[in-house]
Amino acid sequence: MTEINGKIYVAGHRGMVGSAVCRRLASEKNCQVLTATRDSLDLTNQSSVEDFFAQERPDAVIFAAARVGGVLANDTYPVEFLGDNLLMSTFAINAAYAAGVKRFLFLGSTCIYPRDCPQPIREDALLTGPLEKTNEAYALAKISGLKLCQFYRRQHGVMFHSAMPTNLYGPGDNYHPQHSHVLPALLRRFHEAAQQGLQSVTIWGTGTPRREFLYVDDLADALAFLMTQQNPPDWANVGTGVDLSILELAQLVANTVGYQGEIKTDSSKPDGTPVKCSDVSRLNALGWKHKIELAQGLKTTYDHFLNEVESGQMRSV
């Protein structure tokens, strides 16, 4: 595979995705990774972003910065999820072009696709129907970033493109009891239930929605692969192409942490999108496929979780 060269700015390097990207880029001999903390660069401040790009002038950008969260967080704070993500992506894309950045890889999410589109979800399903209401704000911001990259590429000929990962998990995830995504939320809940000897654990919703999960280091490898493509698609799904029900996921997580009690469902809580599984044939046809299956990835993630708890470094924000 072609090497990645030059100065690469990784936005959001302290997050789960950004840190995985930095781990992956560390293996590239001729790559200099550029990062910036929130204290030194406020991505929601236009002048701060413009000054950063004008001064640093990276060769390429992998934009993994975002305000993220699970169903509850998205549904509770739509203003922040739309506003912050829209500002960050717009300011960064515009400033990158102005500073002569050669390549910009924008990270979206498969939640950009319509709630009820045909499964598995193809890239051409974008904007063919209504979005899932519980994460509409986040999806709108990500769609705007994706389209802005597409328009820059079309109008100015720059290599600005996007990747749409499915649900992610892995080292450095956020384990906040209310604001985290479904897999880390379940992992923490079942771990604590096992520790406390609880007889049952209740999960949100009916347990019937189906979801797909990708280990974050697989995503980082896919992004590195896309960075080497001379003519990548405007956007490509990144996932495994395999899904399972939330109840099946809960049982798998329970088995991983050693919880043996009963798993109950709460149908009074929202389910979200009924099914969300991505069609990854576009990326597979280019030559990339995931390596880490869910059972293996869960075990590795739980080992990292235990280390984070023991060291006091578990993310819960």
Side-chain angles (χ1 to χ4, degrees):
M1 187 173 70
T2 306
E3 290 185 351
I4 301 173
N5 301 312
K7 183 192 290 187
I8 314 296
Y9 168 47
V10 179
H13 72 287
R14 286 183 168 176
M16 177 177 66
V17 173
S19 59
V21 171
C22 290
R23 288 195 298 272
R24 174 61 183 80
L25 293 181
S27 65
E28 298 289 334
K29 296 179 181 178
N30 300 312
C31 174
Q32 175 190 351
V33 176
L34 172 66
T35 61
T37 64
R38 289 182 183 178
D39 292 337
S40 61
L41 173 60
D42 179 0
L43 288 169
T44 64
N45 182 291
Q46 184 173 6
S47 61
S48 177
V49 175
E50 290 174 347
D51 290 346
F52 172 82
F53 275 94
Q55 179 178 341
E56 297 292 345
R57 296 194 174 273
D59 298 300
V61 176
I62 298 179
F63 197 81
R67 175 183 283 272
V68 297
V71 173
L72 178 62
N74 274 270
D75 204 29
T76 305
Y77 305 106
V79 171
E80 289 81 2
F81 275 84
L82 174 59
D84 288 353
N85 286 305
L86 191 59
L87 292 177
M88 286 191 285
S89 59
T90 303
F91 293 159
I93 294 167
N94 288 341
Y97 175 74
V101 170
K102 300 179 179 67
R103 192 174 198 119
F104 195 110
L105 179 50
F106 177 73
L107 268 290
S109 165
T110 52
C111 75
I112 65 166
Y113 295 114
R115 170 187 166 89
D116 298 315
C117 63
Q119 300 290 321
I121 306 169
R122 292 168 49 90
E123 286 87 351
D124 57 14
L126 183 67
L127 298 176
T128 59
L131 298 166
E132 161 61 36
K133 290 297 182 183
T134 55
N135 60 18
E136 182 180 25
Y138 180 80
L140 286 169
K142 286 300 180 181
I143 291 170
S144 296
L146 176 155
K147 297 300 285 187
L148 187 57
C149 285
Q150 182 187 40
F151 295 151
Y152 262 110
R153 185 176 182 179
R154 180 198 301 174
Q155 184 173 334
H156 297 292
V158 290
M159 188 52 68
F160 286 17
H161 56 119
S162 304
M164 300 298 117
T166 188
N167 299 287
L168 301 169
Y169 70 100
D173 211 336
N174 179 13
Y175 295 97
H176 190 282
Q178 280 83 43
H179 299 160
S180 60
H181 289 108
V182 59
L183 194 151
L186 289 175
L187 193 150
R188 177 174 180 173
R189 190 177 307 170
F190 280 108
H191 167 78
E192 292 177 348
Q195 295 291 305
Q196 298 166 18
L198 301 182
Q199 294 184 352
S200 67
V201 171
T202 301
I203 64 173
W204 269 42
T206 63
T208 59
R210 301 186 66 82
R211 294 291 183 270
E212 171 191 14
F213 297 91
L214 179 70
Y215 190 69
V216 70
D217 286 83
D218 267 342
L219 170 64
D221 189 62
L223 299 180
F225 174 83
L226 283 168
M227 291 285 286
T228 67
Q229 299 300 295
Q230 291 187 350
N231 187 31
D234 282 335
W235 65 93
N237 293 335
V238 187
T240 65
V242 178
D243 65 359
L244 76 168
S245 74
I246 295 300
L247 187 56
E248 290 171 329
L249 174 67
Q251 188 61 64
L252 188 58
V253 172
N255 294 342
T256 301
V257 308
Y259 176 74
Q260 298 180 343
E262 182 182 3
I263 301 175
K264 298 179 179 180
T265 58
D266 181 359
S267 59
S268 69
K269 297 293 192 297
D271 273 335
T273 305
V275 183
K276 193 172 73 169
C277 184
S278 60
D279 182 325
V280 292
S281 58
R282 179 176 289 184
L283 190 54
N284 289 169
L286 291 175
W288 185 89
K289 188 178 186 300
H290 76 282
K291 298 182 181 73
I292 302 168
E293 301 299 341
L294 182 56
Q296 176 192 351
L298 266 178
K299 184 180 184 306
T300 303
T301 301
Y302 186 51
D303 289 341
H304 278 278
F305 170 83
L306 293 175
N307 289 335
E308 290 165 16
V309 170
E310 185 176 352
S311 65
Q313 295 179 335
M314 181 184 72
R315 284 183 63 209
S316 181
V317 295

